[in-house]
Every structure is written in C-alpha cells, then in structure tokens.
Amino acid sequence: MFRRSFNRFCAGEEKRVGTRTVFVGNHPVSETEAYIAQKFCDNRIVSSKYTLWNFLPKNLFEQFRRIANFYFLIIFLVQVTVDTPTSPVTSGLPLFFVITVTAIKQGYEDWLRHRADNEVNKSTVYIIENAKRVRKESEKIKVGDVVEVQADETFPCDLILLSSCTVDGTCYVTTASLDGESNCKTHYAVRDTIELCTAESIDTLRAAIECEQPQPDLYKFVGRISIYSNSLEAVARSLGPENLLLKGATLKNTKKIYGVAVYTGMETKMALNYQGKSQKRSAVEKSINAFLIVYLFILLTKAAVCTTLKYVWQSIPYNDEPWYNQKTQKERETLKVLKMFTDFLSFMVLFNFIIPVSMYVTVEMQKFLGSFFISWDKDFYDEEINEGALVNTSDLNEELGQVDYVFTDKTGTLTENSMEFIECCIDGHKYKGVTQEADGLSQTDGPLPYFDKADKNREELFLRALCLCHTVEIKTNDTVDGVTESAELTYMSSSPDEIALVKGAKRYGFTFVGMRNGHMRVENQRKEIEEYELLHTLNFDSVRRRMSVVVKTPSGDILLFCKGADSAVFPRVQNHEIELTKVHVERNAMDGYRTLCVAFKEIAPDDYERINRQLIEAKMALQDREEKMEKVFDEIETNMNLIGATAVEDKLQDQAAETIEALHTAGLKVWVLTGDKMETAKSTCYACRLFQTSTELLELTTKTIQESERKEDRLHELLIEYRKKLLHEFPKSTRSLKKAWTEHQEYGLIIDGSTLSLILNSSHDSGSNNYKSIFLQICMKCTAVLCCRMAPLQKAQIVRMVKNLKGSPITLSIGDGANDVSMILESHVGIGIKGKEGRQAARNSDYSVPKFKHLKKLLLAHGHLYYVRIAHLVQYFFYKPLYDAAYLTMYNICFTSLPILAYSLLEQHINIDTLTSDPRLYMKISGNAMLQLGPFLYWTFLAAFEGTVFFFGTYFLFQTSSLEENAKVYGNWTFGTIVFTVLVFTVTLKLALDTRFWTWINHFVIWGSLAFYVFFSFFWGGIIWPFLKQQRMYFVFAQMLSSVSTWLAIVLLIFISLFPEILLIVLKNVRRRSARRNLSCKKASDSLSTRPSVRPLLLRTFSDESNIL
C-alpha cells in the first residue's frame, strides 16, 4: 500500500525507479484514497528536425558549419568591410543562392516529416470514458486510457490487451512495420478480463498494472496486473510479451479489442527502436574537401605572393606615390601592417573564384535529379509487388560505383523466403512426393537396396506431431465444422516454416483444422476429427532453438511434442535413435534444405502436476521470468523419443547466381551473413555460385575448434595455418589482388557466430591478442566469406570491422528483414529488399529494390555512370579558370553550369548494356580512380596551360599599337573581355569534346549557353544602367567584335587551348584500335579460361568506349 501511494505522489520521478504503475482507465483502485494524476509523456510522435520558429537559425547554423559555406561568408564580409577590387555581389549572390536552395530542400524534406507525424498524431482513436466511446486524436492519449481498436487498424500506442471479441480473449497481430515479420502473431488477454467486451463493462474495471520502464527490446516485457473487486484482496496475474500490443502493429482477423495504454509517444518501443541515420559521406565528397583544401592553399599562396610583390614594387618612391595619384593624409597615417593585411584580403577576394561556390549547388542538383533515373528504371519494376526501386537518399549515388565489399543476408535476399515442404524422414525412412494415405513410395537412407516404409503407428504419430506442435492459426470466413471446408483453410503463423510443415502433414492425410475452446482439432486420414486439449506451449526462442507443446489426448494421455534444430534435439533423445535420422538430416542440409527434427514423450499424471505448477510459478515471476521459464523448459524437454525429421526448401531468388557471379567478376568481395546453420548456408552459397567447385574452403567453426581441449589455442593454430597458406598465394596490393582472383586458386572462408565472438572477445595475452588482425588478413585474401549463425549485432560488427580496414574500403549491405537493419545502417551504402519479411529494411536503407538481381544493374550500370559523371563534374568545376562583377557572378551560375549539369545527368561514356554484360569495366573506376592525385594534377595543369594561353595570347595580340581601322587603342576592359570570351568558349567546347552520348538536351544547353553569353554581353554593355555608379563595360563587347584581328585571335586561341585535348583523343583512338586487334588475336590463339584475363580491357580508358553505344 505504501509503495502504491509513493508511486502516485512521485509519478514525475518514475524514470528514477525500475518500474511504473499504471491505473487502468485512470480510475483509483480504492475510493478511500486520493487519486493524483500521473505524469507521463503524451502520445505525440516527433521525427521532424525543425519547427517554424527555429528553422532559420538552426538551418543557417548547420549550413555554415560546412567549410566551403563558411569560407564564402568570410569572403563576403571582407568585401563588405574592406575596399576590395570586386563587388560584394560577386560572392554574396552565389552564396545566397546556394544557401537558399539547400534551405528549401531541407525545409521541404522536414515538411514531409511534419506531415507524416501529423498523419499519425491527428489520426482518430476511440477512448472509453465514463462507459462511452469518445472520439479523440491519437496525440491526446494518456497512459492509463482504455483504447478501442478495430480490425485492420494500427495500435496508436503500446497497449496491454484486456479483452477482444473472441471468446478466449485472443487477437491476431502483424508486426511487419516493427520487426519485418508479416505473418500473424497471437496475443492473449488475462483470463480475469476477457469477458469485459463492451464499453460499459470495461469501464467498471478497477486494476493497476506494474511494469518495467520503457525499453527498446521488442520481444521483452515483464509486468503484473492487480485486479480489484469488492473483496479486499487483489487478484494478481503475470503479464508478458504475449499480452503487449506494440504501437505500429496492426490488428488482423479480430473485429475489436480493448487495451490500456502503458507506453505512449516517444516512450513506445517503436519510438525507442528508431535509430536516426548517421550522416553518410561519399568518397567523392571527401575528395571535394581535399581538393578544396589544396585550392585554398593555392589561393593563400597567390594572395601572399601578390601582396609581397606589391610592396616590393612600391618600395620605389615613384611607384608608391606617383604625381597623379597622391596619398591622402589618412592613408599615410595608416599602420603598414594593417595596410598589408587589408591588401592580402583584397587579393584573396580577387582570386577567390578559383574555389567555385556554385559547384556545391550543382552537385546537389545533380544528385537530386540523378536519383530519379533509378526510380524511373523500368528494369527495377517488379510485377509481383507492383513496385519499383526507391531512393531514400540521393547523397550516395556515386558511392554505388565505388563498392569494394557486399554484405548480403541469405533468407529472403538470396532466397525467396517462400517455404515449401519437400520431404520427411520417419525412423530413417524417406517420404517424398504427394501420396494417398501415406502409402506411396518410401525408401530408406540405409544400405538396403529396396523400398520400405515405417510402421503405420509411427507414421501417424509423426504426422500428428506436425499438426499439433506449432503456433499456426486458422483464418476462415465461416466456422469450420467437419471436413467439408478443410480445403479452404488459410493458415497464419509468425513462421513460414510452420505453415509449410502443417501443409506437408496435410499432403499425407493429416489436416489441422483449427482451435476450439482450447482444443486443437485434427482431421486424420480416415476423415475423422481428433481433439487434443492444449495444456501448454513452450515457445521457440533462439537460445533453445526448439519449441514444444503439451497436449492431452482424447484417451486422457498427456504427450509432449517437440520440434527443433538437430543440434538442439539430438542431445535430448535416445542415442540409438539418432543414426538413421542424422544421415537424412545431413544430406538434406547439403542439398540446401532447412531441416527440423521431431520428437515426443509421454508424461505421467504426477509428473504433469509438478510441471504445471512450475510453469505457472515461472510465468508469474516479475523478476528473472525468462531465466526461470527457460530452466523449466529445459527440465521438461529431456528423455524424448526421436520420430523423424523434415526438410523444407527456401528457393533461390531469380538470377541470384548470375548476380553474385557478375559482382565477383567486377572485383567485389561478397560476404553472406546469415543466421542459418552452416550446412544449409554452404549449399546455398554453392547454388548461387558464391563458392565455385574449385574454391578451397577454410573453416573456422565450432566443429573445427572443438577438436582441441583449449579452443583458443586451436583457433590460433588455424589462423596461423590459413594465413601462411594465403600470403604466399596472393600479392600484397589490393588492385593486383583483384586480378589475381582470375589467375590463382580461389579461397573461401566459413565462420560461425560463436567462433567470431571468440575472435572479437579473445583474451589479451601475448598469444591471442592478434586474433582479429590475423583474421582480417585471411578475409582480405579470400574471394568470398560465409558467416553463419550470426546475430544481428554480429552482422553490424563485421561490417564495422571491414569499414575500419586499412584503405577504408567502401561497404554495401543488402537485406530484407528487421534483423538486417543494423548492418544496413552501419555500411556506407544500405540496400533494402522489399521482401516478405516486411519493409523495416527497405525503410532504413539508402536505396530499396524489389529483388536481389537488381543489385547488378544498380552497381554495374547506374553506380558506374553516376561516379564517372560526378567525378567529371567536380574536376570540370575546379578546371574552369574573371573580372567585371556581373561576368564573375554569371560565369559559374549561368554561362558554364547548365552544360556540365546536363552532362552529369545524361552522359553515357559506355552503353548501359555493355556495362551490365561486362562487369570487369567496374574495376576501372574502383578506388575512386578518377579523383586521385594523377587526374587532379592533369586537370590542374590543363587549366594552368589554358589560362597561360588565354592571357599571353591576348597580351601578344595587344602588342600591336592599334587593332582598329580608326586607330583607336583597346583598353584593359577589352583585354579582359577577349580573355573571358576565349575562356567561356574553350571550357564549353572542352565539355562538348568529352561528351560521348549526345541528346537534344546536350545540344540545347551547350550551344544555347554560348549563344546566351553573346546575347548577355551585348545586352549588358549595350544599355546605360541607371543603378550602376560606373559603366565600365559599356559598348566594349560590340566594339571588340568589330575588329577582324580580334575574331581571328579568339578562334586561334581556342584552337591552341583545345589542341592537347584533340591530340589526346586521336592517340586514344589509335591505341583503342590496336588494343582491339591484340584482343582479337589473343582470343583466336588462346583457349578458354574460366575467368578471362582483364588485362587487355585495362588498356582502355573511358573515352575509348565512345563507339560502344
């Protein structure tokens, strides 16, 4: 009593204690005690980043945290405060444009989040208040409110189930939005509240729920409900995960339920499980930052050199203060250091356009617009789900072309996750195919050459076990009574394996027809209905790896049926029963089937009374409930009799093998991370060609480690042995390693979860502290790695471990279930499959596709092209080598931005079909090849060369005393205009030379931008603008073009500037033809190789593929 009162008065302090107390309906449990309203968070969900009031300051703060934006802000402020040679508009306008566009984009994305939040928060719910249904908004639900939920509605918060429309107080729920499982789960109300099925009756309930504080584990809940009636003593019932309805789950096949809110808003398990995506940065973005630092250093150097030269030149008195430009008294009194500093800033402002501010907005636009090509790709459309690919983030498009490691799930990703019953084994006798009354073909796995079958009673016992040992529910339109409607039954279960097994039993004449009043009903081969009272269900968990049911037969016998993995069942059955079934299980595992063993035992009535008492006590425990129940389960599931085993097939996805092979040929390392057993996963890897028949497998598994008494010593021996074998086989460099895969023996590694834990958590003595580094060396030399029996956390650990390797390889993770979310978020690029395990993986991914086969085109075609396009875009912006304020402002924004933007969206230097058919082309761009030091220096020296030609070519032209017939002499503005004109035409025509895939859009923007430059120059210099203080460019452009010498000079300078590029293209074409001839000769003389050498291909460059269209 004191504890309850204390909890009421200190409700605001509930986070400081381990439990919380919730009063059902917010009614006091006793009329004699004062009721104080509890203080819990409301039911609002907030996923947005900004509000109307903080958007501007918060967004500006985040944008100016970027080095480039902050740099241009400083330049703008310098131009405003210091007398500089250029107007503040030249840097302020582009900066304002970049900031505005980015703010609009981020504001729009946050508005979408606000809209999604409002759809949830403003949705209609019904609360029971004063025995009436009251309509409210979801955000107004309080902890303790009794909520009514109708069929196919989503639970608005975490609820404890009080009652449902069914007699037994059960309801069916799908949790696809939470854990990716689309199959129905059954939840239960406590037996004391199942009759409260109306608003009037539920309002009379006086109860208090004591439960744990909010925590993110979806599968764990410990609580207790105390129900008060007229008697003084409260009735206490235990609460577990089977009583908790999670926010985001959906009510299925149940007309109506009543539940009390225990966790609301951001304290629900769904909200606590939301893991905000970390900001992923692509390799190209990192290269841009590196280039930016280099050019910033060049800028500072230029400003320092020019400032120094200015003061060296001014050291001569005549130059410092000529007679026509005398200094003012204020200028003479200014400190020389301050004057030098302002001059340094002025030079920085003058030269700051070598760092193009517009590049960032162009890159953002290219990524955003380019992402639509993935969504629009018809090859990604899947008719089965009527959906195509989806881009959740456009910041990583180019990263798709830089992947080094692919981590993939198996079930649902490489396989269909569509289970089909293949065969079964009863006492060593194999049953396969559709039979009538189980009288069909049956053969033994032993040495007997003739067909045989098991005893009839054992067959029926096995099939009854399949019909009873499960959690399958029936969905029917009408009540099933008798056998007439059995063919129309629809099975529902949280596990597709269970449905396959029940359907398999039906194939052999035993049909599960549902539950009625706590009895499981089975139709036997004689079309008779058998009823078994379900006493207890010992649910499956990943530790036990088995599940059991305790049932009472019509004759009164109590039986336990158990099914589970062979490693979990074999130690608990009689040894002499194992051998024949074990042969069957191992062969099925090698064939790629999922296997389960089936066992049973009879329980004496006295033993059952003890077992029943222990189970009830364990279920009522509020502390350590899971441990106590596991102990009881472990005691019950012993001394069983093995009946047989089952084999279920999870079919390989369409073109999964071809996709794996293409990725391997492209130089990518593919790792399979799965929770399945090693034998099944290994056979799947062979089927999908991850392992070739010639691949030598290295195993680091529990089986190989347990050969020694000390596991760590044996593990260390194997690691050293494998490393020695691999180090002398392959060269050290990664690039040559990729080529070596095609020329040397291939190796594959198999490791399981327990061995990985041993490696990651090894003791730190001198002999074992290097386990991890040796393991990584082995992994890097293997062409493929299979990790089986992996927990979700271990998947993320493996991805993180590879990410941190020397050289920081780019990782990609692909999966379809909630258990893959951790590795999807951890990797550089996350791909979600829109599969049968829900959409949790797809929603948390960067990209989602319907099938695994779509990964091939996504990487080899889209990724390749995205990388080449944006790499060219970045180099081009740094290459473009500036004088009137309007020209400076318009140069990067209008004159030269649209052509490169169109190029970066549409260019196909190699045809898409060629990219997908020849995966080796992917290796040419791996390792960020186009943004390394070599290409960067090439573009920089090309810009320096062309800048030199522009300036000195025009300078020598001006050595002529007069360029006009009327003897007028051109001035410095004409000089600058000629240089600028040559510049604009050269960089635009350079892009035209680089373009291999011409469309009408390319023609329009390239030739249109040149025409716009000419039009703008005439327009800008042909009008007296009243808002300008001085009209320096008035009539300059028109006057310049009146000279024939100027025309000839412009054409000549453009040709000289582009001549090295034209010469390079000619040489590449000659080399391409030579390489093709050599390749043809080699093909004619060489015999076929399993994996052709890629060396002739590497002779070619991107421009070489210009004719492959």
Side-chain angles (χ1 to χ4, degrees), residues 461-532:
L461 181 64
F462 178 81
L463 295 173
R464 286 189 179 95
L466 294 186
C467 288
L468 296 172
C469 187
H470 56 73
T471 57
V472 173
E473 301 288 343
I474 300 289
K475 177 185 178 183
T476 55
N477 295 326
D478 300 303
T479 303
V480 177
D481 190 9
V483 301
T484 55
E485 298 188 27
S486 61
E488 301 176 6
L489 298 177
T490 301
Y491 295 119
M492 301 180 301
S493 174
S494 59
S495 170
D497 297 68
E498 289 196 323
I499 296 177
L501 294 177
V502 172
K503 288 182 177 179
K506 183 179 179 181
R507 181 191 302 177
Y508 291 101
F510 275 75
T511 305
F512 172 66
V513 293
M515 292 275 296
R516 177 180 292 179
N517 300 325
H519 288 72
M520 303 182 77
R521 307 174 73 238
V522 177
E523 174 192 295
N524 61 26
Q525 294 171 342
R526 295 176 293 278
K527 306 301 181 183
E528 300 169 346
I529 297 295
E530 302 175 355
E531 293 196 359
Y532 297 84

Side-chain angles (χ1 to χ4, degrees), residues 241-389:
E242 69 276 6
N243 308 113
L244 184 66
L245 306 172
L246 299 176
K247 176 182 176 65
T250 304
L251 183 65
K252 291 291 185 181
N253 305 316
T254 310
K255 292 182 180 179
K256 180 177 65 175
I257 65 102
Y258 291 105
V260 57
V262 287
Y263 304 128
T264 53
M266 301 307 290
E267 290 183 342
T268 59
K269 288 183 180 288
M270 184 188 76
L272 294 175
N273 267 278
Y274 176 75
Q275 181 177 352
K277 296 180 183 177
S278 58
Q279 186 66 32
K280 295 182 178 181
R281 297 172 58 207
S282 68
V284 170
E285 186 176 349
K286 295 174 184 177
S287 298
I288 291 175
N289 291 337
F291 294 164
L292 183 67
I293 293 174
V294 172
Y295 273 85
L296 185 60
F297 177 76
I298 294 174
L299 174 62
L300 294 173
T301 304
K302 286 176 65 176
V305 169
C306 289
T307 304
T308 303
L309 291 177
K310 176 188 175 183
Y311 281 92
V312 169
W313 186 75
Q314 286 184 343
S315 61
I316 303 173
Y318 174 79
N319 293 335
D320 184 33
E321 192 174 357
W323 60 270
Y324 56 84
N325 190 17
Q326 295 291 319
K327 291 182 180 180
T328 63
Q329 187 62 31
K330 183 178 180 180
E331 289 176 333
R332 291 192 179 97
E333 293 175 355
T334 303
L335 291 175
K336 193 168 185 178
V337 174
L338 182 61
K339 190 70 172 67
M340 291 177 67
F341 179 70
T342 56
D343 287 339
F344 175 78
L345 294 179
S346 298
F347 280 115
M348 275 194 65
V349 170
L350 182 63
F351 298 137
N352 85 87
F353 278 87
I354 68 170
I355 301 177
V357 64
S358 63
M359 178 185 67
Y360 289 91
V361 72
T362 307
V363 167
E364 288 290 328
M365 292 175 64
Q366 190 269 351
K367 289 183 176 183
F368 176 71
L369 296 175
S371 64
F372 286 103
F373 289 104
I374 295 178
S375 303
W376 293 337
D377 195 325
K378 293 182 180 179
D379 291 340
F380 292 155
Y381 181 77
D382 186 73
E383 294 182 355
E384 184 180 345
I385 62 173
N386 200 28
E387 291 185 43

Side-chain angles (χ1 to χ4, degrees), residues 35-297:
Y35 172 70
I36 299 176
Q38 304 164 86
K39 296 179 181 177
F40 299 111
C41 73
D42 58 26
N43 199 40
R44 283 182 300 167
I45 292 294
V46 180
S47 63
S48 55
K49 192 175 182 180
Y50 306 108
T51 66
L52 185 63
W53 310 109
N54 70 7
F55 173 74
L56 193 60
K58 192 173 182 179
N59 185 265
L60 289 177
F61 173 74
E62 290 178 350
Q63 289 207 57
F64 284 116
R65 289 172 64 185
R66 295 181 67 174
I67 296 176
N69 289 344
F70 184 73
Y71 162 76
F72 282 105
L73 176 65
I74 296 299
I75 292 295
F76 173 71
L77 295 177
V78 168
Q79 288 177 300
V80 171
T81 56
V82 179
D83 184 18
T84 57
T86 57
S87 167
V89 176
T90 58
S91 60
L93 186 61
L95 178 63
F96 174 77
F97 180 68
V98 170
I99 295 296
T100 302
V101 169
T102 306
I104 291 173
K105 176 189 173 187
Q106 294 178 353
Y108 174 72
E109 291 174 348
D110 201 63
W111 175 77
L112 293 178
R113 287 190 286 267
H114 271 283
R115 189 173 68 174
D117 289 345
N118 284 332
E119 287 180 3
V120 175
N121 295 332
K122 301 296 183 183
S123 61
T124 301
V125 296
Y126 288 95
I127 311 295
I128 305 302
E129 290 183 356
N130 300 322
K132 295 181 180 179
R133 295 171 73 244
V134 179
R135 182 175 177 175
K136 286 188 175 182
E137 294 177 344
S138 175
E139 63 183 0
K140 295 182 179 178
I141 295 176
K142 304 188 298 294
V143 171
D145 284 346
V146 176
V147 183
E148 178 186 294
V149 181
Q150 304 280 346
D152 297 321
E153 290 183 352
T154 300
F155 300 119
C157 58
D158 290 351
L159 304 169
I160 292 295
L161 179 61
L162 296 176
S163 64
S164 74
C165 63
T166 60
V167 177
D168 55 358
T170 61
C171 70
Y172 306 115
V173 172
T174 58
T175 57
S177 62
L178 298 173
D179 58 9
E181 295 182 6
S182 55
N183 299 291
C184 286
K185 299 180 176 68
T186 306
H187 288 258
Y188 306 89
V190 294
R191 62 175 179 268
D192 304 89
T193 62
I194 60 176
E195 296 180 356
L196 306 176
C197 300
T198 63
E200 293 77 11
S201 60
I202 203 75
D203 195 57
T204 63
L205 177 64
R206 297 296 181 266
I209 295 174
E210 188 175 7
C211 60
E212 61 190 359
Q213 287 295 350
Q215 53 99 359
D217 192 337
L218 295 175
Y219 309 105
K220 181 182 178 184
F221 177 77
V222 177
R224 180 169 53 206
I225 181 171
S226 299
I227 303 169
Y228 295 83
S229 59
N230 296 330
S231 60
L232 296 177
E233 288 297 325
V235 178
R237 302 294 182 205
S238 64
L239 297 174
E242 69 276 6
N243 308 113
L244 184 66
L245 306 172
L246 299 176
K247 176 182 176 65
T250 304
L251 183 65
K252 291 291 185 181
N253 305 316
T254 310
K255 292 182 180 179
K256 180 177 65 175
I257 65 102
Y258 291 105
V260 57
V262 287
Y263 304 128
T264 53
M266 301 307 290
E267 290 183 342
T268 59
K269 288 183 180 288
M270 184 188 76
L272 294 175
N273 267 278
Y274 176 75
Q275 181 177 352
K277 296 180 183 177
S278 58
Q279 186 66 32
K280 295 182 178 181
R281 297 172 58 207
S282 68
V284 170
E285 186 176 349
K286 295 174 184 177
S287 298
I288 291 175
N289 291 337
F291 294 164
L292 183 67
I293 293 174
V294 172
Y295 273 85
L296 185 60
F297 177 76

Side-chain angles (χ1 to χ4, degrees), residues 5 284 346 486 655 733 800 802 820 906 980 1107:
S5 301
V284 170
S346 298
S486 61
Q655 298 184 31
S733 71
R800 189 181 307 116
V802 174
D820 303 315
L906 304 173
F980 195 80
N1107 294 329

Side-chain angles (χ1 to χ4, degrees), residues 771-807:
Y771 282 4
K772 185 176 177 181
S773 61
I774 299 176
F775 172 68
L776 288 174
Q777 291 177 36
I778 295 171
C779 290
M780 291 178 66
K781 303 297 183 183
C782 290
T783 53
V785 177
L786 167 62
C787 302
C788 48
R789 295 301 192 199
M790 289 285 118
L793 181 60
Q794 287 181 311
K795 291 184 178 183
Q797 287 176 330
I798 288 177
V799 175
R800 189 181 307 116
M801 184 173 63
V802 174
K803 277 175 63 178
N804 295 329
L805 285 173
K806 184 179 180 182

Side-chain angles (χ1 to χ4, degrees), residues 1 12 198 466 522 595 601 613 682 707 745 764 800 866 898 978 1039 1041 1066:
M1 182 66 69
T198 63
L466 294 186
V522 177
T595 59
K601 81 170 181 178
R613 185 172 60 254
K682 186 197 294 186
E707 295 174 1
Q745 170 67 48
H764 294 282
R800 189 181 307 116
Y866 279 133
L898 283 180
I978 294 175
Q1039 189 71 19
L1041 294 183
V1066 172

